[in-house]
Amino acid sequence: MNTAQPYQNPVIAQRADPWVYKHTDGYYYFTASVPKYDLLELRRSKTIQGLAEAEPVVVWRKHEEGPMSQLIWAPEIHFNQGKWYIYFAAAPIDYPEDGTFNHRMFAIENDSANPLEGEWTEKGQIVTAWESFALDATTFEHNGKLYYVWAQQDYDIPGNSNLYISEMENPWTLKGKYTMLSKPELDWEIIGFKVNEGPAVLKRNGKIFITYSASATDINYCMGLLSADEDSDLLDAASWSKSKQPVFRSAPENGQFGPGHNSFTRSEDDTQDVLIYHCRNYTEIVGDPLHDPNRHTRAQIFTWNEDGTPNFGIPLPDKDFVRS
Ligand code: AHR
């Protein structure tokens, strides 16, 4: 095993949109989209690799009908203001209308010490300034404020979803203005579908970085990067700049295609940064990519460039990959 790259991939099979959060209790907490999109499960382990063997605990199941009854997508577990929250997207029907799905964003809350135990309470829809296809929320704290970043369709902007930021009144309510951070406009953002989604936040070197995923969720899926000075007004669009090129994309030489919907964590010894993401190890997808279950959870160490920006490298091969 390459000690510089201690993780054997894939870490967890058939878990898309992987979210790993390393808590102050030393545990890595894991959740992700499951192939049937019908429930929310949590795992925890003292090591990233150990998440593969960790027993999944189902903490919430989709409703029989209504706005939380279909296509449960991209959960994230966060510890905000002393309680556990899982943010996720759900829809009332399992098919798109007018070109996009009908998701809205929701949150559930648990005040237990161990979120795999205790009760989860539904906190309702995370209401934004307008009603449309909304998904892939994440939160982060900065300078004493709690922020919410998400993907949502704007009917006046061609495409499935753009990225937005807003401050939060509490961990399930937005407040004040919202700002669009990015819309799919560069050639690598609009292949198949015009998509900016799956934001993930990384704070380092005096900057706030937000990675996101772009294009259709097939071999063209890849990651972009937004950045702002940590002391700038994060709700001012002018504070943010966008990388002109993707920062993480398919690596045919390593048998990896369509990497994205990432999260970030730290290595077990807290000395290195870890990129968590999903990827497929083949190109030929039969039918709708959303219903191909083989977006596997992967983990790899990443480094930093001289200019202070993250260097994610390329998707590493599967542990049993043989170069052709
Ligand atoms: O995996 C389900 C959805 O597909 C996620 O919410 C989105 O990021 C991806 O495109």
Side-chain angles (χ1 to χ4, degrees):
M1 183 188 308
N2 172 351
T3 51
Q5 286 294 351
Y7 307 113
Q8 296 198 33
N9 284 301
V11 172
I12 303 175
Q14 298 196 346
R15 288 298 182 271
D17 318 317
W19 176 262
V20 175
Y21 163 63
K22 189 177 184 182
H23 191 45
T24 51
D25 61 5
Y27 279 100
Y28 290 96
Y29 289 90
F30 174 83
T31 190
S33 296
V34 299
K36 289 185 179 175
Y37 302 135
D38 58 350
L39 53 82
L40 299 176
E41 67 173 33
L42 284 183
R43 306 178 189 214
R44 75 174 189 173
S45 167
K46 291 284 189 170
T47 67
I48 290 171
Q49 207 79 54
L51 289 169
E53 300 350 336
E55 183 63 32
V57 172
V58 176
V59 296
W60 183 88
R61 294 183 184 275
K62 70 178 184 67
H63 293 181
E64 284 303 312
E65 59 184 11
M68 302 169 83
S69 64
Q70 298 291 343
L71 300 179
I72 309 307
W73 283 353
E76 294 192 3
I77 184 166
H78 293 256
F79 192 73
N80 286 331
Q81 297 175 8
K83 293 184 181 180
W84 294 98
Y85 292 88
I86 296 179
Y87 300 94
F88 62 99
I93 54 177
D94 64 356
Y95 54 88
E97 286 178 318
D98 305 328
T100 57
F101 288 93
N102 296 276
H103 287 75
R104 298 298 184 270
M105 301 176 291
F106 300 91
I108 56 176
E109 175 192 85
N110 183 341
D111 61 3
S112 310
N114 174 358
L116 280 72
E117 299 169 352
E119 293 300 313
W120 286 89
T121 306
E122 294 179 0
K123 305 299 288 185
Q125 179 181 342
I126 308 279
V127 177
T128 63
W130 72 107
E131 286 291 318
S132 68
F133 173 50
L135 70 163
D136 290 1
T138 194
T139 68
F140 71 99
E141 290 195 42
H142 186 59
N143 289 344
K145 295 178 178 178
L146 185 62
Y147 290 94
Y148 189 80
V149 182
W150 74 101
Q152 188 165 355
Q153 180 182 25
D154 178 334
Y155 295 114
D156 296 329
I157 298 176
N160 285 29
S161 53
N162 317 301
L163 295 182
Y164 298 90
I165 188 172
S166 183
E167 204 180 322
M168 299 190 92
E169 178 69 38
N170 59 44
W172 64 92
T173 311
L174 307 189
K175 77 174 179 181
K177 71 179 222 182
Y178 68 90
T179 298
M180 185 172 77
L181 296 176
S182 173
K183 64 181 178 181
E185 56 199 335
L186 303 175
D187 59 359
W188 49 271
E189 296 181 293
I190 60 175
I191 307 171
F193 291 100
K194 296 181 179 181
V195 168
N196 280 184
E197 65 183 16
V201 178
L202 183 63
K203 294 163 62 168
R204 195 67 53 81
N205 304 325
K207 294 278 189 181
I208 309 276
F209 296 104
I210 298 180
T211 52
Y212 65 96
S213 295
S215 284
T217 187
D218 55 20
I219 62 171
N220 298 295
Y221 207 58
C222 60
M223 282 168 43
L225 181 72
L226 306 175
S227 57
D229 289 339
E230 65 181 0
D231 296 326
S232 66
D233 175 358
L234 302 183
L235 296 180
D236 180 352
S239 299
W240 294 90
S241 60
K242 177 192 279 191
S243 169
K244 293 299 182 206
Q245 295 302 324
V247 292
F248 201 60
R249 63 190 324 168
S250 296
E253 66 273 33
N254 286 344
Q256 298 300 319
F257 306 92
H261 206 119
N262 74 287
S263 52
F264 296 110
T265 190
R266 294 280 288 175
S267 57
E268 286 76 354
D269 63 3
D270 199 27
T271 62
Q272 308 223 63
D273 292 295
V274 185
L275 175 68
I276 305 288
Y277 63 99
H278 74 222
C279 205
R280 289 192 184 87
N281 52 21
Y282 54 79
T283 59
E284 299 312 310
I285 300 168
V286 177
D288 181 345
L290 274 174
H291 295 296
D292 169 295
N294 295 311
R295 291 178 290 173
H296 306 314
T297 292
R298 313 183 95 253
Q300 57 191 69
I301 300 292
F302 68 92
T303 60
W304 294 87
N305 298 313
E306 288 292 312
D307 66 359
T309 58
N311 183 336
F312 300 121
I314 63 171
L316 297 174
D318 287 352
K319 57 183 178 296
D320 55 4
F321 177 71
V322 176
R323 276 182 184 74
S324 52

